[in-house]
Amino acid sequence: MNIEKNLEKYAELIVSTGLNIQPGDAVSIRFSVDGLELARKVSKKAYEKGAKNVDLKFNDDQMTLDCYLYASDEAFESVPQYQVDYAEAQFKDNTHVLALIAPNPDLLKPADPKRIADWSKVVSLANKPIQKYTLQNIVKWTIAAVPSDAWVEAVFPELPLSDGRDKLWQAVFDATRVSTDDPVAAWEAHDQALKAHESFLNEANFEKLLFEGPGTDLEVYLVENHRWMGGSSTHSGGDRFFPNIPTEEVFSMPHADKVNGTLRATMPLSVRGQLVDDFHFTFKDGKVVDFDAGVGKQILQDLLDTDEGARHLGEVALVADNSPISNTGILFKNTLFDENASCHFALGASYAENLKDSRERTEEENRALGANDSLIHVDFMVGSADVTVSGVTFDGETVVLLQDGEWQI
Ligand code: ZN
Ligand code: ZN
């Protein structure tokens, strides 16, 4: 495999299609050492397209872990305000964000879960005033991934590291359509297919969805005047962009108080650098009233205890089992990939764009309509070839949407 050639195409896809960089845009790249080579290529292409500035935000897994293990309590008390101000000043100066993640699914395993949970809350609260820039697509933003050694080892524990690394790069290139001849054109066609599903679901205007499968029997009402979204988004300045590379989902807004039944996760979940596996939830009137996990129950408990909204759903997403990601046959142990190979829900905040006219109402008014507000938004996977998803119209007609992993529409 020619990693170098594909990296070039990957960078082109990120700059042209993902962020859709235009003359005068600035870019902030968040990355670690594993992403350096790709970040350089992205930066060069962004400048070639007229970017006025490329700013770097470097992070390092070892330093992050060491901070959790060795820093004093004082280090976890507050986020310096100048960091938030800096980020906000950048957003206001037409800066768009690229996160090049290098997953490390079990990084924080040795750290104190309470410290992790408390710190996540402090960070989310501090960043709440600037959350809107990405959550409401005021700026363009894209998340893409590069393999780290830890990720390679988590996905291919049986392979020698160098073989595993090649195999994971290939899987990333396949899942993102970078290994096709013309990835930018492939994404155009892919976007049209997702928009077709989006239109069908919006026209059908289902009152509720039913999920049925092993350990799953769940009824999910959608908010009235919900909107399904898939593929490209549009930022406040009118540019099309793709928040996730890859993306296979069409998603909408469940009613935060109208979800009943049980559901079993179909894949493990890496949340805040710790693994949760073999878990299920029971919902009553939208709230998680019971749950259990074979691995990481305390991590799940801490997550649910974040705030009131953390026990309610904020997103429902439909994904066919037949996609370049699922077809790799790999469990990525990373949400960006696994959520795009499987139907999923998110606990926590909903997306404003999934409810019509939500920006013209107050947060309280939207909450009363079934939107959810929380410091968290954590996706978890519930889809598989064994899970059937149906939509029920306001007239009581049931339409099978996904069966045996395939779209039925
Ligand atoms: Zn999603
Ligand atoms: Zn989500």
Side-chain angles (χ1 to χ4, degrees):
M1 179 192 39
N2 190 336
I3 291 186
E4 179 66 24
K5 189 170 155 230
N6 278 324
L7 259 189
E8 202 67 35
K9 287 158 74 187
Y10 198 12
E12 178 63 33
L13 180 71
I14 288 168
V15 172
S16 296
T17 303
L19 285 176
N20 186 10
I21 290 302
Q22 299 295 319
D25 284 351
V27 189
S28 172
I29 307 180
R30 300 169 186 181
F31 70 114
S32 64
V33 68
D34 300 296
L36 179 58
E37 202 182 343
L38 182 58
R40 280 184 182 145
K41 292 184 189 299
V42 164
S43 169
K44 178 168 173 249
K45 287 180 191 293
Y47 282 127
E48 283 170 355
K49 289 202 182 289
K52 64 176 176 179
N53 181 38
V54 177
D55 188 67
L56 303 178
K57 191 164 190 291
F58 187 80
N59 60 70
D60 181 72
D61 283 351
Q62 187 61 50
M63 292 189 208
T64 302
L65 177 60
D66 287 345
C67 179
Y68 277 110
L69 295 180
Y70 306 118
S72 69
D73 287 342
E74 203 189 341
F76 295 92
E77 276 164 14
S78 64
V79 176
Q81 187 56 39
Y82 60 80
Q83 289 184 1
V84 182
D85 293 343
Y86 183 86
E88 178 148 40
Q90 281 194 313
F91 287 136
K92 286 182 169 165
D93 189 32
N94 197 27
T95 301
H96 310 279
V97 182
L98 172 64
L100 290 180
I101 59 169
N104 194 336
D106 230 357
L107 170 70
L108 300 183
K109 196 174 181 185
D112 173 11
K114 187 168 178 333
R115 192 168 244 200
I116 297 170
D118 291 350
W119 179 238
S120 311
K121 209 166 162 171
V122 169
V123 171
S124 308
L125 273 172
N127 286 312
K128 183 104 186 159
I130 56 169
Q131 202 186 30
K132 63 172 189 244
Y133 288 95
T134 47
L135 213 56
Q136 297 180 14
N137 297 337
I138 295 173
V139 301
K140 299 177 276 187
W141 55 281
T142 298
I143 306 173
V146 295
S148 66
D149 288 354
W151 192 21
V152 170
E153 281 167 358
V155 178
F156 300 115
E158 73 289 356
L159 291 182
L161 190 59
S162 66
D163 294 358
R165 195 183 296 120
D166 284 353
K167 208 169 162 184
L168 189 54
W169 266 119
Q170 186 62 55
V172 167
F173 292 142
D174 289 344
T176 53
R177 295 175 164 80
V178 164
S179 46
T180 60
D181 289 342
D182 185 349
V184 172
W187 272 72
E188 281 303 319
H190 175 48
D191 193 32
Q192 283 184 20
L194 289 171
K195 293 293 179 204
H197 286 141
E198 178 190 287
S199 303
F200 173 88
L201 292 165
N202 281 330
E203 274 162 38
N205 188 31
F206 293 113
E207 182 180 23
K208 63 179 177 180
L209 302 176
L210 306 175
F211 288 77
E212 289 156 299
T216 292
D217 186 4
L218 192 75
E219 174 184 70
V220 181
Y221 278 80
L222 298 166
V223 291
E224 277 187 50
N225 296 311
H226 61 266
R227 275 204 307 213
W228 288 91
M229 315 278 299
S232 57
S233 297
T234 305
H235 97 306
S236 59
D239 294 348
R240 221 161 61 106
F241 73 101
F242 287 85
N244 288 176
I245 295 178
T247 184
E248 301 288 337
E249 64 178 311
V250 186
F251 62 100
S252 193
M253 193 188 292
H255 193 298
D257 302 317
K258 289 189 180 180
V259 179
N260 283 291
T262 56
L263 70 83
R264 170 163 286 282
T266 49
M267 295 183 190
L269 174 67
S270 170
V271 49
R272 299 166 176 165
Q274 300 191 306
L275 271 180
V276 182
D277 199 2
D278 187 22
F279 58 105
H280 66 265
F281 299 108
T282 301
F283 288 86
K284 190 171 185 317
D285 297 330
K287 188 172 180 170
V288 174
V289 289
D290 187 37
F291 73 97
D292 201 4
V295 178
K297 187 173 181 186
Q298 187 59 43
I299 297 158
L300 217 47
Q301 178 80 57
D302 290 339
L303 193 70
L304 293 170
D305 288 344
T306 306
D307 52 24
E308 177 60 28
R311 283 184 178 260
H312 297 257
L313 296 180
E315 178 195 342
V316 53
L318 303 183
V319 183
D321 205 36
N322 182 14
S323 73
I325 305 177
S326 334
N327 294 345
T328 62
I330 292 167
L331 178 63
F332 285 90
K333 297 183 185 168
N334 171 262
T335 301
L336 178 62
F337 288 81
D338 292 333
E339 76 167 347
N340 279 304
S342 165
C343 290
H344 58 270
F345 290 104
L347 287 166
S350 50
Y351 288 107
E353 58 187 343
N354 288 131
L355 176 58
K356 226 174 144 207
D357 300 329
S358 62
R359 286 188 189 113
E360 286 147 39
R361 288 185 292 264
T362 64
E363 235 167 65
E364 292 70 32
E365 286 167 336
N366 285 322
R367 182 64 187 82
L369 295 173
N372 193 21
D373 184 35
S374 172
L375 291 174
I376 68 160
H377 174 102
V378 175
D379 295 277
F380 61 96
M381 284 57 79
V382 298
S384 77
D386 299 329
V387 178
T388 300
V389 185
S390 316
V392 181
T393 65
F394 281 90
D395 300 333
E397 190 198 342
T398 302
V399 181
V400 176
L401 299 174
L402 284 163
Q403 197 167 37
D404 302 324
E406 298 279 356
W407 280 103
Q408 304 293 308
I409 56 178

